[in-house]
């Protein structure tokens, strides 16, 4: 009797362990933006003229015109609750804008400009002018007040930038030399070099928050910031809940001048921190939240064919890539081996397994400057040919050794790595997979003996910026691009394309072709972010840079 | 007894210093780059280098160790979290009550239900009550905490709608976390109590007590239990010392911002000041908990108290 009972308990335990294993933040959610290596150094004052629509996979959402909404009546919705899967940690304006800070800080703080990837649009800045190639003047509005009534002037702007630089958390500030006041509402930026790259000032102008020096020195901005944004922080419980209230004294009273992402269509925003994806699904089902960051594709069946929920897919800017170690210490240096690997990969299959969409020209067709003709061309991203792969492998120096593939620790990367391993095994290439957490990936990328292949994601705001981490040699200390690529021709082509004057179809196409001729990288899929929300929301809103913005969303009022 | 406590306090200082040295060394040699995590994927190598420089991470091992030891033990400053930008101590103080609510409540449930079940099983040895109780205990031990936590959410939140599944808004938010955190401990305590009860069950003094006409309840509570408590207290002491370490799994599943989740986030993000401070705090708490356990031996067992009185130290 006891033995039987013990056996039953053991079986129950094994089943429990197998049932309980595995959380999921599958690749179709905004959660993946946390692991995305943002590389948007593109865009400046250029208008891109690609031929792509926004990938055609964005769901068409029908708003019921017979029902009153916040956009038709101009009223605010009462309260919306969203869930994020990781803590925002603090609300300091000095911290780098990484992780889930996007979900909260953007409502409270404002910058001089916003960027859509190619153009700067003024938020606090009324105008800017180029005095000479090293000096730009920016004039802010003269009626900017924060939520406590402090008047924002040029002195505050100078203080903000100097404090940000001294804080040490600034990113991509290598062109910033200094800032000084010209008059009460005008500041002069001095650069270390001429600004000629696409969106080169994104971090300086669009990611540096502006706030009152007086409020900063007298208050605690980590938990109770005072700023100019459309929302104020009413409650801040680290790791648990953040409540934002619409700022009734928002300084910008001219509706026509309020940019995307700065509207106040809801009175109260409640942001719950719910790390567990299953919890978010339950919370959405119970009506405790209206949208969840981690409510992903594998919970689709729960909400499909249910009129109380809307499933919305939006193509994303994140691209998933495979590249290798070109240091000379890996078989990857052999171009025939690279081509063998790339022709053996089926990006359609890999994308489908991760509920993503296949890429065909080293980038996402989401970008407005993507040329549709690229998807028609024949190359290793559009052709899956194991016979051709075998031919290239035969020509290569591969002798049957195991190649090491490193990837991030999330489910998407691991899935991808396993599929790549299986596909390469079909042509006789042995792959050993090693996954590493995000904090350790850099140590692999800077050690030329630690990997042969590497799978990860990056993003941008335009085609050329999506290639920044892959093809640009200025982000790593050794002057090479990712994967120890030291091709001077590539860097020259990239730098030429990444300029305001050089960002043309000819240069972009030439760069793409050069990368593919040399088989430097394989971009196999792009993110197709999935959003599931309940019937309160008529239409989900987004910032100019693609992050969800509930203040920008449209709600039913009945 | 006083001498014994002083003696233990002296060793407490040595333990804390050694713990500080060990945790610092482990973190120093642990791979991973805090600056990369803080700055995110956009950062260039120069940005990362500059931040690591400002955090003092390019200094030598001895310089960093000396700075850490000086700040922690002379200035009593555990620093500011690199991620949260708040004082480590302040943040721990805010989170500790939430962790203690779960921890202490689960200890109380552990004691009440664990010992009761153990006594019940022990006094019905060989009967169906014993088998049933031990079967339940085995079930509790077998089920992983996170699985129990998720199943409770499915039942009590999703199906029945009785209890909230996350947050710290009300006392109801703590019911499921406490239950999920207690089950394993109840099972272990029940089994240990049963074993201890069985050891004293057939003792002569128990037979004598029954022969004198004592009620069974009195026999159990006044004669059996005190003699069976020693191993139980040792086990509970170990459990108690882990209370402040929190239960990271429970806190993650139920989204409770306690010490466990704080430390888990910090480890993943290489927030060294937080990890060091938390480990030191746990070490102090564990040492004090063990001291209290030893003192309780003296209270419960007059023989040990007599030993203290005679020799001033534990054999």
């Amino acid at each position: 009797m006891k033995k039987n009972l013990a056996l039953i308990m053991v079986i129950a335990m094994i089943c429990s362990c197998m049932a309980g294993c595995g959380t999921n933040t599958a690749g179709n959610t905004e959660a993946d933006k946390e692991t995305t290596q943002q590389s948007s150094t593109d865009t400046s004052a250029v208008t891109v003229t690609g031929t792509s629509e926004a990938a055609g996979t964005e769901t068409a959402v029908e708003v019921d015109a017979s029902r009153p909404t916040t956009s038709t009546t101009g009223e605010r919705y009462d309260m919306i609750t969203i869930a994020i899967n990781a803590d925002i940690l603090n609300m300091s304006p000095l911290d780098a804008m990484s992780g889930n800070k996007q979900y909260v800080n953007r409502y409270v703080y404002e910058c001089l400009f916003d960027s859509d990837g190619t153009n700067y649009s003024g938020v606090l800045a009324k105008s800017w002018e180029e005095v000479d190639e090293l000096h730009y003047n920016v004039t802010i509005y003269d009626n900017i007040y924060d939520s406590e009534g402090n008047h924002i002037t040029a002195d505050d702007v100078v203080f903000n930038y100097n404090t940000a630089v001294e804080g040490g958390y600034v990113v991509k500030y290598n062109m910033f030399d200094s800032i000084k006041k010209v008059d009460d509402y005008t500041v002069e930026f001095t650069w270390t070099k001429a600004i000629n790259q696409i969106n080169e000032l994104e971090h300086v102008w669009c990611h540096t928050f502006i706030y009152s020096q007086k409020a900063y020195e007298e208050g605690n901005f980590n938990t109770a910031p005072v700023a100019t944004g459309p929302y104020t922080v009413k409650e801040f419980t680290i790791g648990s809940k953040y409540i934002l209230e619409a700022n009734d004294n928002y300084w910008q009273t001219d509706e026509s001048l309020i940019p995307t992402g700065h509207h106040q269509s809801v009175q109260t925003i409640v942001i719950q921190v719910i790390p567990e994806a299953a919890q978010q699904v339950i919370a959405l089902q119970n009506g405790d939240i209206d949208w969840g960051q981690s409510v992903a594709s594998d919970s689709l069946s729960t909400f499909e064919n249910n009129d109380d929920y809307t499933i919305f897919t939006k193509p994303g800017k994140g691209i998933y890539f495979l590249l290798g170690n070109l240091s000379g210490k890996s078989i990857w240096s052999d171009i025939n081996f690279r081509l063998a690997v790339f022709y053996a990969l089926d990006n359609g299959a890999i994308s489908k397994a991760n509920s993503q969409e296949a890429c065909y020209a080293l980038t996402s067709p989401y970008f407005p400057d993507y040329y549709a003709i690229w998807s028609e061309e024949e190359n290793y991203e559009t052709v899956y040919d194991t016979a051709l792969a075998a031919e290239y492998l035969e020509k290569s120096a591969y002798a049957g050794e195991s190649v090491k593939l490193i990837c991030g620790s999330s489910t998407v990367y691991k899935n991808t790595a396993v599929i790549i391993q299986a596909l390469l095994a079909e042509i006789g290439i042995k792959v050993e997979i090693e996954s590493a957490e995000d904090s350790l990936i850099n140590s692999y990328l800077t050690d030329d003996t630690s990997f042969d292949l590497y799978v990860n994601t990056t993003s941008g705001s335009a085609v050329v910026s999506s290639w920044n981490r892959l093809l640009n040699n200025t982000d790593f200390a050794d002057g090479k691009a990712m994967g120890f690529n030291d091709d001077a021709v590539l860097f020259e082509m990239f730098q030429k394309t990444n300029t305001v004057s050089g960002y043309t179809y000819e240069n972009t196409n030439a760069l793409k072709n050069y990368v593919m001729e040399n088989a430097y990288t394989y971009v196999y899929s792009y993110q197709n972010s999935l959003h599931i929300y309940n019937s309160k929301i008529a239409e989900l809103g987004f910032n100019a840079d693609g992050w969800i913005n509930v203040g920008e969303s449209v709600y039913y009022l009945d | 007894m006083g001498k014994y406590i002083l003696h233990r306090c002296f060793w407490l200082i040595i333990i804390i210093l050694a713990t500080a040295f060990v945790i610092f060394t482990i973190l120093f040699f642990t791979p991973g780059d805090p600056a990369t995590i803080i700055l995110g994927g956009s950062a260039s190598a120069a940005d990362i280098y500059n931040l690591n420089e400002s955090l003092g991470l390019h200094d030598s091992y001895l310089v960093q160790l000396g700075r850490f030891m000086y700040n922690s033990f002379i200035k009593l400053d555990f620093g500011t979290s690199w991620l949260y930008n708040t004082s480590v101590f302040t943040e721990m103080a805010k989170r500790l009550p939430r962790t203690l609510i779960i921890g202490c409540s689960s200890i109380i449930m552990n004691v009440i239900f664990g010992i009761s079940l153990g006594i019940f099983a022990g006094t019905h040895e060989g009967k169906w009550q014993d088998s049933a109780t031990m079967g339940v205990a085995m079930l509790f031990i077998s089920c992983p905490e996170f699985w129990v936590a998720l199943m409770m959410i499915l039942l009590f939140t999703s199906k029945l709608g009785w209890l909230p599944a996350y947050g710290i808004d009300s006392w109801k938010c703590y019911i499921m976390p406490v239950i999920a955190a207690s089950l394993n401990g109840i099972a272990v305590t029940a089994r240990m109590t049963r074993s201890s009860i069985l050891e004293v069950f057939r003792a002569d003094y128990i037979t004598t007590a029954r022969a004198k006409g004592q009620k069974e309840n009195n026999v159990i509570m006044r004669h059996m239990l005190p003699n069976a408590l020693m191993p139980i207290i040792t086990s509970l002491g170990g459990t108690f010392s882990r209370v402040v370490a929190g239960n990271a799994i429970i806190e993650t599943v139920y989204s409770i911002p306690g010490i466990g989740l704080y430390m888990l986030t910090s480890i993943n993000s290489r927030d060294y000041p937080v990890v060091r401070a938390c480990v030191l705090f746990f070490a102090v708490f564990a040492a004090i908990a063990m001291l209290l356990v030893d003192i309780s031996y003296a209270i419960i067992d007059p023989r040990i108290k007599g030993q203290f009185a005679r020799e001033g130290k534990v054999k």
Side-chain angles (χ1 to χ4, degrees):
Chain A
M1 171 65 183
K2 280 188 180 175
K3 278 186 185 172
N4 290 339
L5 195 58
L7 184 62
I8 291 168
M9 290 297 127
V10 165
I11 293 169
M13 185 173 69
I14 292 169
C15 292
S16 306
C17 287
M18 289 170 66
C21 287
T23 54
N24 40 72
T25 46
N28 286 358
T29 72
E30 291 216 17
D32 275 340
K33 284 186 178 158
E34 295 180 40
T35 58
T36 295
Q37 295 179 16
Q38 298 275 350
S39 60
S40 45
T41 54
D42 297 70
T43 53
S44 129
V46 291
T47 304
V48 291
T49 52
T51 60
S52 156
E53 295 173 351
T57 54
E58 178 169 323
T59 311
V61 173
E62 276 186 38
V63 177
D64 187 346
S66 65
R67 297 171 64 187
T69 65
T70 50
S71 65
T72 53
T73 62
E75 289 175 34
R76 284 185 200 147
Y77 192 76
D78 186 35
M79 185 171 82
I80 203 79
T81 304
I82 65 172
I84 57 178
N85 63 6
D87 194 6
I88 66 161
L89 307 173
N90 67 69
M91 293 211 64
S92 169
L94 304 180
D95 276 11
M97 183 55 61
S98 59
N100 279 352
K101 284 179 186 291
Q102 301 276 2
Y103 286 109
V104 184
N105 288 22
R106 285 290 187 189
Y107 294 103
V108 176
Y109 293 107
E110 291 178 319
C111 305
L112 292 176
F113 297 89
D114 278 342
S115 170
D116 63 2
T118 51
N119 297 298
Y120 303 117
S121 52
V123 179
L124 299 177
K126 192 162 71 175
S127 64
W128 66 278
E129 65 164 330
E130 183 177 332
V131 177
D132 57 54
E133 66 174 21
L134 293 183
H135 299 92
Y136 286 12
N137 279 359
V138 174
T139 302
I140 63 173
Y141 287 98
D142 59 7
N143 62 330
I144 304 172
Y145 292 85
D146 68 18
S147 53
E148 283 188 358
N150 298 301
H151 192 199
I152 304 296
T153 65
D155 288 315
D156 296 303
V157 178
V158 171
F159 171 78
N160 298 152
Y161 276 91
N162 288 335
T163 309
V165 171
E166 282 162 24
Y169 288 86
V170 290
V171 166
K172 298 267 166 59
Y173 255 64
N174 49 300
M175 82 298 291
F176 177 85
D177 182 77
S178 62
I179 182 173
K180 73 173 188 196
K181 171 181 169 179
V182 174
D183 60 42
D184 282 347
Y185 302 106
T186 305
V187 294
E188 180 185 87
F189 286 89
T190 301
W191 311 118
T192 57
K193 62 176 187 66
I195 305 300
N196 59 4
Q197 290 185 8
I198 307 295
N199 211 31
E200 191 170 1
L201 299 179
E202 183 189 9
H203 285 268
V204 177
W205 278 0
C206 309
H207 289 186
T208 306
F209 293 132
I210 306 300
Y211 47 91
S212 159
Q213 176 179 358
K214 176 174 176 285
Y216 182 77
E217 286 168 347
E218 290 174 1
N220 177 8
F221 272 39
N222 285 327
T223 56
V226 175
T228 68
Y231 286 86
T232 58
V233 178
K234 185 178 166 191
E235 182 184 317
F236 187 93
T237 309
I238 290 182
S240 181
K241 185 160 74 173
Y242 314 106
I243 299 180
L244 308 179
E245 280 288 333
N247 178 6
D248 290 324
N249 298 319
Y250 184 48
W251 65 274
Q252 185 55 279
T253 51
D254 185 343
E255 275 287 331
S256 65
L257 294 176
I258 298 179
T260 303
H262 298 259
H263 290 93
Q264 300 166 306
S265 59
V266 61
Q267 177 64 31
T268 306
I269 303 172
V270 177
I271 302 161
Q272 288 279 0
V273 180
I274 305 178
E276 183 65 33
Q279 278 266 42
Q280 288 196 17
V281 172
I282 292 171
L284 185 60
Q285 282 179 292
N286 288 352
D288 294 332
I289 62 173
D290 303 302
W291 174 87
Q293 181 186 16
S294 295
V295 178
S297 58
D298 47 357
S299 41
L300 204 55
S301 56
T302 310
F303 301 100
E304 265 175 339
N305 303 317
N306 186 334
D307 291 338
D308 292 333
Y309 300 94
T310 303
I311 298 170
F312 174 69
T313 53
K314 182 178 169 62
K317 302 178 291 188
I319 55 174
Y320 288 80
F321 63 87
L322 167 74
L323 55 67
N325 181 348
L326 290 166
S327 66
K329 295 181 183 174
S330 164
I331 185 67
W332 195 254
S333 301
D334 182 339
I335 187 170
N336 287 315
F337 182 78
R338 298 201 292 274
L339 286 167
V341 166
F342 287 165
Y343 276 105
L345 295 182
D346 181 355
N347 56 353
I350 298 172
S351 310
K352 202 168 175 184
N354 289 318
S355 301
Q356 292 167 349
E357 301 288 334
C359 284
Y360 299 112
L362 303 177
T363 191
S364 165
Y366 163 83
F367 297 118
D369 53 331
Y370 179 91
Y371 293 91
I373 192 172
W374 286 344
S375 302
E376 314 296 324
E377 294 171 350
E378 270 204 13
N379 54 56
Y380 53 68
E381 290 198 352
T382 55
V383 173
Y384 166 54
D385 189 340
T386 51
L388 185 57
E391 275 178 39
Y392 279 116
L393 190 65
E394 190 65 36
K395 291 182 204 170
S396 75
Y398 179 68
E401 68 272 29
S402 203
V403 294
K404 190 170 171 187
L405 166 64
I406 59 165
C407 64
S409 55
S410 80
T411 312
V412 173
Y413 297 133
K414 287 179 186 171
N415 279 349
T416 301
V418 167
I419 295 170
I420 289 175
Q421 184 185 49
L423 287 170
L424 295 184
E426 282 188 18
I427 61 165
I429 297 177
K430 291 184 210 153
V431 173
E432 171 199 327
I433 299 171
E434 185 170 327
S435 76
E437 50 177 288
D438 293 339
S439 61
L440 295 176
I441 285 288
N442 235 25
S443 59
Y444 282 95
L445 293 183
T446 49
D447 178 358
D448 59 10
T449 60
S450 66
F451 74 100
D452 296 295
L453 302 178
Y454 170 55
V455 164
N456 210 304
T457 181
T458 184
S459 82
S461 38
V463 165
V464 72
S465 68
S466 71
W467 294 332
N468 183 64
R469 292 285 285 178
L470 307 177
L471 310 178
N472 190 358
N473 66 329
T474 60
D475 270 10
F476 290 89
D478 56 3
K480 298 177 184 175
M482 193 182 282
F484 308 99
N485 189 335
D486 61 355
D487 185 339
V489 172
L490 173 71
F491 303 150
E492 194 183 325
M493 290 178 78
F494 179 82
Q495 297 302 338
K496 182 179 169 186
T497 308
N498 195 28
T499 58
V500 173
S501 56
Y503 195 34
T504 62
Y505 169 74
E506 288 71 29
N507 288 338
T508 314
N509 193 49
L511 177 60
K512 172 189 69 69
N513 289 340
Y514 185 80
V515 171
M516 288 190 139
E517 279 158 18
N518 287 278
Y520 282 145
T521 186
Y522 188 115
V523 176
Y524 54 87
S525 69
Y526 65 93
Q527 287 171 322
N528 211 18
S529 59
L530 179 77
H531 303 275
I532 303 174
Y533 51 89
N534 65 18
S535 53
K536 290 181 192 174
I537 303 172
E539 196 176 339
L540 208 56
F542 295 86
N543 282 336
D545 53 5
W547 285 85
I548 185 174
N549 187 310
V550 292
E552 202 63 32
S553 302
V554 178
Y555 303 90
Y556 290 114
L557 289 171
D558 55 6
Chain B
M1 186 70 161
K3 262 192 184 175
Y4 171 70
I5 294 172
L6 275 174
H7 181 77
R8 289 290 295 266
C9 286
F10 169 74
W11 277 106
L12 183 65
I13 295 169
I14 306 293
I15 289 167
I16 291 169
L17 287 172
T19 304
F21 172 76
V22 167
I23 189 60
F24 177 87
T25 305
I26 289 173
L27 287 177
F28 185 86
F29 290 108
T30 299
D33 184 2
T36 305
I37 295 167
I38 293 168
L39 295 179
S42 307
S44 65
D47 296 331
I48 293 169
Y49 181 89
N50 290 338
L51 183 58
N52 276 328
E53 180 74 25
S54 69
L55 294 176
L57 294 173
H58 288 155
D59 295 332
S60 68
Y61 169 79
L62 287 176
V63 168
Q64 289 190 51
L65 177 63
R67 187 165 55 224
F68 165 63
M69 295 298 241
Y70 173 75
N71 287 336
S72 304
F73 298 108
I74 307 297
K75 289 169 72 177
L76 296 180
D77 175 18
F78 288 101
T80 302
S81 163
W82 295 340
L83 281 182
Y84 290 87
N85 238 342
T86 53
S87 157
V88 175
F89 223 76
T90 308
E91 190 57 31
M92 282 175 66
K94 263 192 226 167
R95 289 172 179 258
L96 192 58
R98 299 166 195 149
T99 298
L100 286 178
I101 288 173
I102 298 174
C104 294
S105 303
S106 68
I107 292 253
I108 291 169
M109 285 188 58
N110 204 340
V111 169
I112 295 172
F113 292 102
I115 293 178
S116 305
L117 284 173
I119 292 172
F120 182 69
T123 52
H124 294 83
E125 187 200 4
K127 297 179 185 167
W128 69 267
Q129 294 93 329
D130 181 23
S131 303
T133 306
M134 288 300 104
V136 168
M138 197 178 310
L139 184 68
F140 285 175
I141 289 175
S142 305
C143 297
E145 267 182 357
F146 67 86
W147 182 82
V148 171
L150 288 171
M151 291 301 109
M152 288 174 68
I153 290 168
L154 277 176
L155 177 61
F156 293 111
T157 304
S158 189
K159 294 285 179 206
L160 298 173
W162 287 354
L163 297 171
Y166 56 83
I168 51 172
D169 290 339
S170 73
W171 60 271
K172 288 184 186 176
C173 295
Y174 288 96
I175 293 175
M176 284 197 288
V178 167
I179 294 173
S182 310
L183 291 182
N184 204 275
I186 288 171
V188 170
T189 304
R191 291 174 65 85
M192 189 160 294
T193 306
R194 176 186 178 274
S195 301
S196 299
I197 289 289
L198 288 177
E199 278 182 22
V200 300
F201 196 77
R202 290 180 189 81
D204 291 341
Y205 55 87
I206 300 297
T207 310
T208 306
R210 287 198 180 109
K212 283 184 172 182
Q214 293 256 1
K215 288 184 185 166
E216 193 59 24
N217 273 350
N218 275 348
V219 170
I220 293 171
M221 298 309 290
R222 295 181 66 186
H223 296 282
M224 276 192 204
L225 195 56
N227 289 289
L229 266 182
M230 299 293 275
I232 298 167
I233 286 174
T234 308
S235 167
L236 285 175
T239 306
F240 186 66
S241 69
R242 289 190 294 274
V243 160
V244 289
N247 195 324
I249 296 172
I250 297 293
E251 289 177 7
T252 301
V253 173
Y254 290 105
S255 308
I256 294 177
I259 295 275
L261 197 52
Y262 188 44
M263 184 140 161
L264 188 64
T265 307
S266 302
I267 290 171
N268 287 335
S269 308
R270 305 296 189 275
D271 193 354
Y272 295 156
V274 174
V275 179
R276 290 173 197 149
C278 286
V279 170
L280 279 178
F281 181 66
F282 299 158
V284 169
F285 195 88
I288 293 173
M290 287 295 107
L291 176 60
L292 291 174
V293 167
D294 287 345
I295 292 170
S296 69
Y297 287 157
I299 294 169
I300 292 168
D301 192 340
R303 293 170 296 183
I304 296 176
K305 191 174 184 180
Q307 251 176 5
F308 285 146
R310 278 196 306 274
E311 298 169 14
K313 64 180 177 191
V314 169
K315 272 190 183 172

